[in-house]
Amino acid sequence: MSSIPNKKLNDGVEIPVLGYGTGTAWLKDEHGPIDCKLVDAIKTAISLGYYHLDGAAVYCNERELGIAIKESGVPREKLFVTTKIMTNVDDISGAINTSLEKLQLDYVDLYLVHSPYFAKSDEELQKAWVAMEKVKELGKARSIGVSNFLQPQLEAILKTAKVPPSMNQIEYHPYLRHRGLGPFHHEKGITTASYGPLTPVTHAKGGPLDQTLSKLAQKYATTEGNILLRWSIDIGTVPITTSKKVARLEEYLEVLKFQLEQVEVEEITRLGDQKHYRVFWTDKFSPEDRS
């Protein structure tokens, strides 16, 4: 079993720098039966050392995550469990209780507002954040943050926040670096979690990174996807990835065996800026929008 290192968030909570996600490939119908394949996959991920488990209420599989955690045999305090709220932001207090019941947990390690698009005004964002702070105060989440927020929405929260967000989980990869959002996160002490980190090889082949990723994969005797995961970790983000295949999960752990040289990190960043590609939330952005 590999030991994934931790990164400290702005509230002192430590998070493993590589997470196993239960979205994308594992989405299911809210009223469907328990997905035993997902339960087994999560248990396998845990057994391999993926102690950072990323879920969300809207994935409709919190029950599977909870069963896997219970059956894994790993002490609760060793795991880092994330879930998110999206559809009932007007009742965050009730939503966290529902999630905890499904997860069979007393608390989550990280609770995120899944997206900002429920809000028609800054005041609505701020009201939701007050409720999130209450969740933390009550000990139902060790850390609180957001997902899919842009700088203006973060600024709105920060105007009135008593507890700043510890994280913003966004689609982030060399072809989508959100212009100035990364530096803003750094300035405010907000950690960037990146989903879709493998996009340049899974969705956007034929771009300016192809040759460099191939070259570096040969140099480090790994895959092009692992070069992208290592880039994500080396620039300070926390990548979230997933797979239904045990061999792929084992493969991802190879990123712990090497580190890119700074010049290689910079080359990937520079080449990535030559292409723009977004996989998620395309209904909210124009093709040219690099936000």
Side-chain angles (χ1 to χ4, degrees), residues 185-210:
H185 283 176
H186 182 73
E187 176 191 343
K188 301 299 181 180
I190 300 171
T191 294
T192 302
S194 53
Y195 65 81
L198 306 184
T199 290
V201 296
T202 57
H203 292 88
K205 290 288 281 186
L209 274 172
D210 285 14

Side-chain angles (χ1 to χ4, degrees), residues 26 71-72 86 88 131 135 162 178 194 215 234 245 271:
W26 292 114
E71 294 183 354
S72 72
M86 179 182 283
N88 50 345
V135 167
K162 295 179 181 177
H178 299 266
S194 53
K215 176 187 67 177
D234 286 346
K245 300 177 180 178
L271 292 171

Side-chain angles (χ1 to χ4, degrees), residues 5-20:
N6 290 339
K7 177 184 179 69
K8 188 171 289 189
L9 302 176
N10 60 14
D11 53 11
V13 173
E14 293 192 352
I15 182 172
V17 298
L18 182 62
Y20 178 79

Side-chain angles (χ1 to χ4, degrees), residues 252-269:
Y252 292 152
L253 294 175
E254 292 177 7
V255 302
L256 305 177
K257 299 177 181 178
F258 71 97
Q259 186 171 348
L260 295 173
E261 296 177 16
Q262 183 59 31
V263 66
E264 295 166 343
V265 171
E266 293 171 356
E267 181 182 8
I268 291 172
T269 302

Side-chain angles (χ1 to χ4, degrees), residues 20-28 35 38 61 242-244:
Y20 178 79
T22 61
T24 314
W26 292 114
L27 303 178
K28 63 187 283 284
D35 185 344
L38 173 55
N61 55 28
T242 190
S243 179
K244 293 185 176 182

Side-chain angles (χ1 to χ4, degrees), residues 164-228:
S166 64
M167 173 175 286
N168 187 14
Q169 186 181 121
I170 54 178
E171 180 182 349
Y172 194 92
H173 46 77
Y175 290 157
L176 184 62
R177 294 201 309 115
H178 299 266
R179 294 182 292 196
L181 188 56
F184 180 78
H185 283 176
H186 182 73
E187 176 191 343
K188 301 299 181 180
I190 300 171
T191 294
T192 302
S194 53
Y195 65 81
L198 306 184
T199 290
V201 296
T202 57
H203 292 88
K205 290 288 281 186
L209 274 172
D210 285 14
Q211 186 174 348
T212 293
L213 292 177
S214 177
K215 176 187 67 177
L216 292 175
Q218 290 180 11
K219 173 182 175 179
Y220 291 103
T222 189
T223 64
E224 295 178 12
N226 276 359
I227 297 299
L228 289 167

